[in-house]
Amino acid sequence: DIRQAKTYVSLIKNIINLNQVSNLTIQGVILEGCRETVVQMKNCANSLVAGCTIRNSGDWGVLIDGGTRNGVADCDIYDVGAGGINIKSGDRKLLIPAECYADNNYIHHIARIKRISNACIHLWGVGNRASHNYMAHIPHNAIYFNGNEHIIEYNDISDACYESNDAGTVYAGRDWAMRGNKIRYNYFHDISGFEGQGCVGLYLDDAFSSAEVTGNIFNRVTRAMMIGGGRDNIVTNNIFVDCTPSLHIDGRGMNWMAYHIDDWIKEFKEKGTILGLDYNHPPYSTKYPVLLNILNDEPYSPKGNIISRNICLRGDWDKPAGFWPLSIEDIARPYLKMEDNVVSPETMVLDNTSKSFVIADPMFIDPKVPEKGKFQLAPGSPALEHGFKQIPFDKIGLYKSELRAQIQPFNL
């Protein structure tokens, strides 16, 4: 009842501003009631926001802008006007990592004012990490990343993109050189887009290339994963349960998206760079030697993608273009390497003669509700025989910590 509530109007822009501060910890504080971002850290080092509740702002919860080894850990962030944690650190041109992180945070009900493109966590730059976070009730992205050598691991994400359709729970796009990123051991579940019309769990958009996607679980996600015309993505040891479809892979660079690649080639001819980066000289030429020949190696094609040792239970697996929801386009299929994937007999598959998968019961401990058995496979599983490794489900999501001991979002 508003007549019984305490009300206030915020007048200050920020609550805490740190500039070139080192070795400072802000711990166990409730921070709320500002018009813009709650905590700003600019060019800091070894500084930490820990065990805090951050809420009721007009913009972001925490912004880390530059600096090294700064973090946000064990915090609850909600009811902010834009996103949760925005990390912009590390030098892309020199590939110098920042080692900043968002770890063990509970982030929910964000983007109250700026509904779109303000995620729970943004990672920009080089060498940053989002790990063990629990993220839910998000109108658009849960994690947006841009840059190189980021790690996204052990996060629990649900009910994302509920006001969005052409959107991704974890999203990146439109850059050949955003390489070295690892997306592993995350749990995507109960994600279906605006009014149930569909969205994407992991969305590698418009020729994004070279993600390592390993050990993730997609459970009840529409279009669980998309490779939108990109190259050199490695998708191994993932579980797809009741996803429609599990994979979408296309060759958009060979048709409607070719104009982006035309622009990259034109820039290279005129300036010797692509998207402002010098591909032909260190550190890119030494760190990612495959880039050296990319303009001579069918640059419009989705080459180098590997899909292997994954499990699909129910839902859809391998449906050619022309069927909805879209799966693997015919123009992209010759460029793919697909092997040792195990698909349950009740899964929707239109090409039963393909050698890229094995139709067999993967033998979950609880096949009807795999999450009850923590998505573990029984001994003798054909997936284990084809090289699948059990996923450490118990390690996914929040963990007990002394720093968040006084502020618990729920019983862990």
Side-chain angles (χ1 to χ4, degrees):
D1 188 341
I2 193 66
R3 292 168 295 184
Q4 306 298 322
K6 292 182 178 180
T7 61
Y8 57 89
V9 177
S10 58
L11 299 178
I12 57 173
K13 286 186 177 182
N14 316 106
I15 294 178
I16 296 176
N17 272 306
L18 306 178
N19 188 10
Q20 296 184 339
V21 172
S22 298
N23 305 307
L24 174 70
T25 296
I26 301 166
Q27 181 177 339
V29 186
I30 296 175
L31 300 168
E32 64 179 333
C34 65
R35 303 190 71 80
E36 296 181 6
T37 295
V38 179
V39 180
Q40 294 192 145
M41 306 168 68
K42 187 172 179 62
N43 297 325
C44 297
N46 301 304
S47 292
L48 176 65
V49 180
C52 294
T53 293
I54 298 171
R55 65 193 182 197
N56 295 331
S57 76
D59 208 74
W60 282 81
V62 181
L63 168 63
I64 298 175
D65 188 359
T68 57
R69 297 179 297 280
N70 303 295
V72 183
D74 309 288
C75 292
D76 297 348
I77 302 175
Y78 59 94
D79 286 348
V80 290
I85 301 167
N86 193 355
I87 299 175
K88 299 180 175 182
S89 297
D91 190 321
R92 271 206 83 192
K93 290 189 176 181
L94 299 178
L95 290 179
I96 298 174
E99 300 179 21
C100 294
Y101 58 92
D103 182 71
N104 203 34
N105 301 288
Y106 178 30
I107 309 173
H108 60 98
H109 295 92
I110 62 163
R112 294 178 71 184
I113 300 169
K114 301 175 181 179
R115 303 296 284 175
I116 301 300
S117 300
N118 291 279
C120 293
I121 299 171
H122 280 199
L123 299 178
W124 303 76
V126 180
N128 301 307
R129 169 170 55 92
S131 56
H132 292 285
N133 301 285
Y134 175 42
M135 294 166 279
H137 309 295
I138 312 152
H140 199 218
N141 314 122
I143 297 177
Y144 173 90
F145 69 99
N146 182 298
N148 298 66
E149 307 294 330
H150 298 308
I151 296 176
I152 298 170
E153 63 182 4
Y154 296 106
N155 298 289
D156 184 335
I157 308 172
S158 66
D159 191 25
C161 299
Y162 66 77
E163 289 186 3
S164 324
N165 286 332
D166 185 9
T169 303
V170 174
Y171 178 92
R174 206 165 291 174
D175 194 331
W176 272 335
M178 287 199 285
R179 296 184 174 246
N181 297 291
K182 294 179 171 56
I183 303 165
R184 60 196 184 193
Y185 308 121
N186 301 285
Y187 182 32
F188 301 78
H189 59 105
D190 302 294
I191 299 167
S192 58
F194 178 61
E195 295 184 345
Q197 296 301 306
C199 59
V200 181
L202 173 56
Y203 199 152
L204 305 180
D205 197 12
D206 287 353
F208 174 91
S209 297
S210 189
E212 183 181 308
V213 182
T214 304
N216 300 282
I217 300 169
F218 300 84
N219 189 20
R220 296 184 297 275
V221 180
T222 56
R223 199 177 296 182
M225 181 175 173
M226 175 183 285
I227 298 175
R231 306 161 69 94
D232 304 319
N233 298 289
I234 311 300
V235 183
T236 60
N237 215 88
N238 302 283
I239 294 174
F240 302 90
V241 177
D242 293 319
C243 297
T244 53
S246 299
L247 297 168
H248 169 88
I249 304 169
D250 64 46
R252 63 184 65 185
M254 303 173 74
N255 41 63
W256 64 266
M257 202 208 74
Y259 68 97
H260 283 303
I261 299 174
D262 289 338
D263 290 341
W264 301 345
I265 293 172
K266 180 181 178 182
E267 178 190 339
F268 182 79
K269 291 179 178 179
E270 293 177 353
K271 301 179 180 179
T273 61
I274 299 179
L275 295 169
L277 299 170
D278 188 351
Y279 285 23
N280 284 338
H281 295 91
Y284 278 84
S285 60
T286 53
K287 187 77 173 180
Y288 315 120
V290 69
L291 289 175
L292 284 170
N293 193 45
I294 194 167
L295 295 182
N296 299 316
D297 187 23
E298 298 184 75
Y300 297 89
S301 69
K303 295 188 73 171
N305 295 304
I306 297 175
I307 315 294
S308 68
R309 302 191 307 281
N310 300 288
I311 295 173
C312 182
L313 178 67
R314 301 187 294 269
D316 300 335
W317 174 246
D318 184 10
K319 301 199 312 185
F323 292 84
W324 185 258
L326 294 175
S327 186
I328 301 172
E329 285 190 350
D330 292 338
I331 196 172
R333 195 176 296 271
Y335 294 97
L336 283 175
K337 181 179 180 181
M338 299 182 69
E339 59 187 7
D340 293 321
N341 300 290
V342 174
V343 177
S344 67
E346 67 272 35
T347 300
M348 176 64 174
V349 177
L350 294 184
D351 182 8
N352 289 321
T353 65
S354 174
K355 296 180 181 179
S356 66
F357 57 86
V358 175
I359 296 180
D361 180 1
M363 295 176 60
F364 283 99
I365 289 176
D366 190 329
K368 291 186 178 180
V369 188
E371 54 264 46
K372 289 185 177 180
K374 299 181 178 179
F375 297 94
Q376 299 301 290
L377 303 176
S381 162
L384 296 175
E385 294 175 359
H386 281 81
F388 186 90
K389 304 296 183 184
Q390 302 272 28
I391 295 174
F393 186 70
D394 283 339
K395 294 182 180 180
I396 296 175
L398 296 171
Y399 59 86
K400 292 183 179 180
S401 167
E402 293 181 1
L403 292 176
R404 69 153 48 245
Q406 296 178 348
I407 305 173
Q408 291 283 1
F410 49 76
N411 293 324
L412 294 173

